[in-house]
Amino acid sequence: MTGNKEQQYRFSEAPIWELQRTYYEEQGLKAWNNDQVPQYITSNPMIATAYAEMIFGFLQDRAGQGHLSETVTILELGAGAGRLAFHVLKKLCEIVDYADIPLPPFRYVMSDLPSKNISSWQQHPSLLPYVEQGILDFARFDAVQDVELHLVHAKLSIRPGDLQQPLVIVANYFFDSIPQELIYVDEGKIYECEVSIQYSAEVDPDNPSDALGKIIPQYHYRRAASYEEETYPYHDVITLYQQKLEDSHILFPVVGLTCLERLARLSTEGFVLLTADKGDHRLENWEFAEPPLLIHHGSFSLTANYHAIEHVLKQKGAHSIFTSHHYKNLNIGCILMLPTPLSYTNTRLGYKRFIERFGPDDFFSMKEWMDQQLDTMGLQQILAFWRLGGYDAEWFIHSAEQISELLPGASDEEMLDLQRGIQLMWTGYYPMEQSYDLSLDAGLLLYEMDKFAEALGYLERSMHASTEEPLASVLYSMAICNYELGAEAAALEYARRALATEPDNEVVLELLTALSGE
């Protein structure tokens, strides 16, 4: 596979987008295995809780306006691995059940382009309970062209005008990964940035990720006066760029905007957009912008132009909220494209409480620092941050070794908090193909805490999930757990298996001798 220096493409039509599409269609959920494509920052319990609180506020607002009978549809675009949907649904159901107040019914729809993803969601054990409750469905949706939603389980097609409640749209890491135009602004004129593709080395033609990782884009400029004409659909924002920007490369989200326009037609009442991305909504951040870099991570991503999306929707009457402080990793927006957006007080309060005051970007910045400070932290600090993050499995896995070292000095209260945290973590865990074994880590820590019944359950779960023979140390722990619980025959069997794995292990040999009475 070689790059053609002569061939120039409009940026939105360059081969990178077809490679991106092929990558996701071939990989399915494997694209997110071990964070090959990043997903933690936009899919952890912290951001899911913030979204659930805003959605709950929106349900309250609709109830307060007397709209209680029709179902509210929550559509997630580019749902990917499915982890965000799981955490949002889990938290939203908890809040709704706890509040026990009249609210309209809701239905969460996970959508994506690859059919493999939908097939995997349909079989995922964490998602099935919500499907059975009738509050989760799936749809294949092409953001570039589709005008309808076809729900897999309900066998229902949602067409323009069908929804009598506003549509709630969730779009995390979405606008940065779909086709965009690239324009250049200088001296009040607009230029189209076309791209030609070269590769840094030989490329495997059957490996889209390899090709994306070796692409060297080269940009070519041509005058594009059509953007400046009053008939251009987004003329107002282009005029603003002409007036305010110099020597600036602008990723312009035509596909993202037209996607929102098509989705808006599904409802007679407008939509709410909840979105998180590495994207800028401040105009000054686009001034003197260099040509875009393709950030490669299996697939690739760019910077989302939230400024253009916000400006266009505001011109149509929307109320937009982005954080007042500058973000570091993740910009989060709530756009109310509704007839009377300021009347949605509870929705806006949800943003103020769970994004503006201390939000997912703040949390992620702290977590990056905390990850480097673990060896200096005490158990109380580790537990406090774990609670703040919603008993997230990733923090537990990262801190398990330090927790183990601190256990000998732990108080009874700290032990109880740790035990309860493991239980809450497990009920909120969304399993994916990863290189770590969460049940093993949980089981070994509970074993060290002398919580033998709970430890045995996690250790057995770990053993059944793995195709490899457990380590002798794990089998020894399971033998001790069974012995302490009065199951001496099972203890003897695990001790024998441990000795077979490590015949020279004196500790295991002593246990086996004691159990067998030899």
Side-chain angles (χ1 to χ4, degrees), residues 333-366:
C334 173
I335 300 180
L336 305 167
M337 188 67 239
L338 303 166
T340 55
L342 292 179
S343 68
Y344 287 78
T345 305
N346 290 301
T347 310
R348 293 185 294 114
L349 279 173
Y351 187 95
K352 185 174 183 63
R353 292 167 178 160
F354 294 93
I355 304 293
E356 181 70 29
R357 178 180 174 273
F358 178 88
D361 182 60
D362 302 305
F363 171 77
F364 189 75
S365 295
M366 284 188 62

Side-chain angles (χ1 to χ4, degrees), residues 71-72 74 89-90 92-93 105-110 127-138:
T71 298
V72 172
I74 306 158
L89 274 171
K90 182 177 183 299
L92 182 58
C93 289
F106 63 88
R107 156 183 61 204
Y108 197 107
V109 179
M110 297 169 61
L127 299 176
L128 288 176
Y130 298 109
V131 175
E132 292 166 358
Q133 293 174 50
I135 59 174
L136 175 62
D137 215 319
F138 313 116

Side-chain angles (χ1 to χ4, degrees), residues 72-147:
V72 172
T73 298
I74 306 158
L75 172 66
E76 184 182 350
L77 300 173
R83 187 177 178 187
L84 177 67
F86 167 72
H87 286 309
V88 170
L89 274 171
K90 182 177 183 299
K91 193 64 182 180
L92 182 58
C93 289
E94 287 176 4
I95 300 168
V96 168
D97 290 345
Y98 185 84
D100 194 23
I101 57 176
L103 296 170
F106 63 88
R107 156 183 61 204
Y108 197 107
V109 179
M110 297 169 61
S111 74
D112 215 334
L113 183 61
S115 298
K116 279 185 179 180
N117 290 3
I118 297 171
S119 298
S120 298
W121 299 336
Q122 289 179 287
Q123 302 171 44
H124 200 291
S126 296
L127 299 176
L128 288 176
Y130 298 109
V131 175
E132 292 166 358
Q133 293 174 50
I135 59 174
L136 175 62
D137 215 319
F138 313 116
R140 184 179 183 274
F141 183 75
D142 186 341
V144 176
Q145 62 184 10
D146 284 351
V147 297

